[in-house]
Amino acid sequence: MVRPARPEDVAALDGLVRRLALDEREPDAVEASPDDLRRALFGQDAVAGCLVAEVGGEVVGMALWWTTYSTWRGRPGVWLEDLVVRPYERGRGHGRALLEALALECSRRGGARLEWSVLDWNEPARGFYAALGASPLEDWTTWRLDRDALAALAGRAAGAPGATGT
């Protein structure tokens, strides 16, 4: 069964995030706490949504996402941040069910597209997504400002004449 995540799922979601970090070969990279997840998903200023796959009352998978916007299409979209299924439940259709439910949510919102990133070395994931009809954006590369670089750029803006601080 796929359903929207509920506040009581936060511990299971935290476990899935940590499982994903293991799968992506970065087991010590997770800094987010269960409280961070709770605020992001269920707080007054929630910034993300989450669907869960549940079997016998146990959360075995999740699709964590947020809304995007395409200026070219003039419509919203959905960015899938994390799709993860517990290893012992993989191959049973939970990932597909989560993506189908997320595609439906995107469509209900008038979404023009559903997008995500995949690690280049993750051939099983790439094959799974291709089988669903997804294709990589070969001409695009993801860029990131993080930690010190983000702080430095924000600091320059905050100190600039006429800067709004936003």
Side-chain angles (χ1 to χ4, degrees):
M1 172 177 78
V2 173
R3 62 169 174 79
R6 299 185 293 246
E8 59 268 24
D9 297 326
V10 167
L13 298 176
D14 181 63
L16 286 165
V17 168
R18 292 172 193 288
R19 174 74 240 179
L20 182 61
L22 286 171
D23 292 346
E24 292 186 355
R25 304 175 186 165
E26 294 199 51
D28 299 322
V30 178
E31 297 176 15
S33 71
D35 284 338
D36 292 328
L37 280 172
R38 186 179 324 284
R39 277 190 300 279
L41 296 172
F42 308 109
Q44 181 177 355
D45 296 320
V47 296
C50 188
L51 298 171
V52 298
E54 184 179 69
V55 174
E58 178 189 5
V59 173
V60 298
M62 73 172 194
L64 193 140
W65 58 274
W66 68 81
T67 303
T68 62
Y69 182 76
S70 169
T71 55
W72 288 12
R73 296 214 180 148
R75 294 176 44 204
V78 165
W79 181 267
L80 173 63
E81 177 62 17
D82 290 327
L83 176 69
V84 60
V85 174
R86 295 213 175 271
Y88 57 86
E89 286 290 337
R90 292 179 187 162
R92 296 184 182 184
H94 303 304
R96 175 181 285 276
L98 285 162
L99 280 174
E100 288 172 353
L102 188 54
L104 180 59
E105 180 67 24
C106 183
S107 295
R108 285 182 180 152
R109 293 168 174 265
R113 56 190 176 202
L114 171 58
E115 300 174 294
W116 60 92
S117 293
V118 182
L119 290 166
D120 289 337
W121 55 260
N122 193 341
E123 288 301 323
R126 293 170 64 91
F128 170 69
Y129 296 134
L132 295 175
S135 57
L137 300 176
E138 298 293 341
D139 295 335
W140 292 84
T141 301
T142 302
W143 288 65
R144 175 180 293 160
L145 279 172
D146 200 4
R147 302 185 188 276
D148 292 344
L150 177 61
L153 189 61
R156 286 193 291 274
T164 62
T166 59

